[in-house]
Amino acid sequence: MNKRESDKRYKFLIEKINKGRSEGLTIKDYIEIKHMQDEIDPFLALEDEELSSFYYELESLKKAIVKEGLFYKFSEENIEYIKSNSMLLPLVLANDEEKKIKITGDNGYLFKCQFHDDKKPSMLVRDLKNDLFCYGCHSYKNAISYLQVHEKLLFNDAIKLLSQIYLYDVKSIDRRLINLVKKYRKSLLSGKYQEFLEVGYERMRSRNNGSNLNIDEIYNQRFATIKRVRENEYDENFKYEEPRGKVYLK
């Protein structure tokens, strides 16, 4: 790489980094960064230390822009609401083929792991915390990351899928996801999930006397969600917000 070309690329990189820290980067900036990277032959970059460094600096910039949510359909607040209010347990139930589920502790459900060849149930879904952990492969998932991995979805599509399953935002409808919506909503409205909630509720009430947890409130919310989705009503507490038009680099 000659000096003139090197100076040009270095100037471009510094300008984008500075803009990202002061003004914020837009989709246009992302396209320009990608275009600059596409002009570089990755095989040539392997043989040129300076070019290689520049190539991977551009790649880091692109990843930072994506990570900060520029391409997301929802705002950060919307995403947090969806993650917190979308129950994970019925999603896992929809994909359980073994039907060997053990209720354990206050509010835990042991499944055969859906992410590795599990000989005995080792994947614990903690309904109250709305997450799962496998003692075998050490997978940790919430509702979003579970759908991402199990259905091989991008983050944005996993959010849209949850929004359709749990009826948060009418703007999120995506016909590509319709079969997955049907599968997971069927599980959400199933008698099996209802039974698990009823058993969990009784266990929590009997085992947590004197705790600071409002057991009635927690379970009433879950039962209310089932009723709302069954009646095809959107969540009135969900307020859609447009995602940011730019992202700032840390």
Side-chain angles (χ1 to χ4, degrees):
M1 182 167 59
N2 61 52
K3 187 176 185 307
R4 182 177 179 182
E5 191 66 25
S6 176
D7 290 345
K8 175 186 173 183
R9 287 172 171 166
Y10 181 74
K11 181 181 178 182
F12 173 86
L13 182 63
I14 294 302
E15 285 177 350
K16 291 303 179 186
I17 291 174
N18 288 338
K19 183 181 179 185
R21 290 172 177 167
S22 59
E23 302 173 37
L25 296 173
T26 64
I27 290 178
K28 181 181 177 181
D29 291 306
Y30 180 90
I31 293 172
E32 290 176 354
I33 292 167
K34 185 178 184 303
H35 180 70
M36 175 68 79
Q37 189 185 40
D38 288 344
E39 289 182 346
I40 302 171
D41 185 333
F43 291 103
L44 288 178
L46 289 174
E47 300 175 358
D48 186 319
E49 186 175 341
E50 185 178 346
L51 188 59
S52 177
S53 176
F54 177 73
Y55 185 88
Y56 287 106
E57 285 281 2
L58 293 179
E59 184 66 23
S60 295
L61 264 181
K62 283 167 49 185
K63 287 181 179 179
I65 291 172
V66 172
K67 183 179 179 181
E68 289 301 311
L70 185 61
F71 295 96
Y72 295 165
K73 174 180 170 50
F74 297 102
S75 69
E76 289 182 19
E77 291 75 18
N78 282 167
I79 290 171
E80 184 56 39
Y81 185 92
I82 290 171
K83 183 173 74 173
S84 300
N85 291 278
S86 299
M87 288 91 78
L88 175 61
L89 181 56
L91 307 182
V92 176
L93 275 172
N95 296 311
D96 177 55
E97 297 179 353
E98 297 292 333
K99 310 300 179 187
K100 296 178 181 179
I101 307 162
K102 177 183 177 182
I103 301 176
T104 180
D106 286 352
N107 197 238
Y109 302 83
L110 270 174
F111 292 77
K112 276 198 171 183
C113 185
Q114 298 171 3
F115 303 104
H116 81 283
D117 185 16
D118 206 358
K119 302 304 180 185
K120 62 178 182 178
S122 62
M123 186 176 76
L124 178 65
V125 178
R126 301 179 292 191
D127 186 42
L128 201 62
K129 293 185 177 180
N130 208 29
D131 64 8
L132 69 79
F133 178 77
C134 178
Y135 294 99
C137 66
H138 302 113
S139 293
Y140 173 82
K141 301 284 185 289
N142 55 45
I144 299 172
S145 56
Y146 175 82
L147 290 179
Q148 276 188 271
V149 176
H150 199 283
E151 302 298 346
K152 298 179 174 58
L153 296 175
L154 296 174
F155 182 87
N156 213 21
D157 288 334
I159 291 289
K160 286 193 286 186
L161 177 55
L162 284 173
S163 185
Q164 288 182 242
I165 295 168
Y166 286 96
L167 293 175
Y168 294 121
D169 174 42
V170 68
K171 298 183 182 68
S172 72
I173 292 175
D174 188 329
R175 298 297 177 188
R176 297 175 303 131
L177 303 172
I178 192 65
N179 289 332
L180 291 178
V181 173
K182 288 179 180 178
K183 178 178 81 168
Y184 286 112
R185 196 176 289 173
K186 180 181 178 181
S187 179
L188 173 66
L189 302 180
S190 69
K192 187 67 173 177
Y193 179 52
Q194 177 99 8
E195 178 187 332
F196 272 27
L197 285 183
E198 290 170 354
V199 172
Y201 174 62
E202 291 303 324
R203 285 172 68 89
M204 289 293 288
R205 286 191 67 184
S206 63
R207 294 163 65 96
N208 287 275
N209 289 330
S211 77
N212 293 324
L213 292 173
N214 190 330
I215 306 303
D216 287 336
E217 181 180 346
I218 292 169
Y219 278 90
N220 284 342
Q221 182 180 7
R222 280 161 166 67
F223 287 119
T225 297
I226 293 173
K227 181 176 182 293
R228 177 178 61 75
V229 173
R230 179 173 286 116
E231 295 175 357
N232 203 37
E233 296 177 354
Y234 282 84
D235 185 350
E236 62 180 16
N237 294 316
F238 182 89
K239 309 301 180 186
Y240 177 73
E241 295 179 8
E242 291 286 346
R244 294 174 298 178
K246 58 178 62 176
V247 298
Y248 293 85
L249 300 177
K250 295 181 176 63

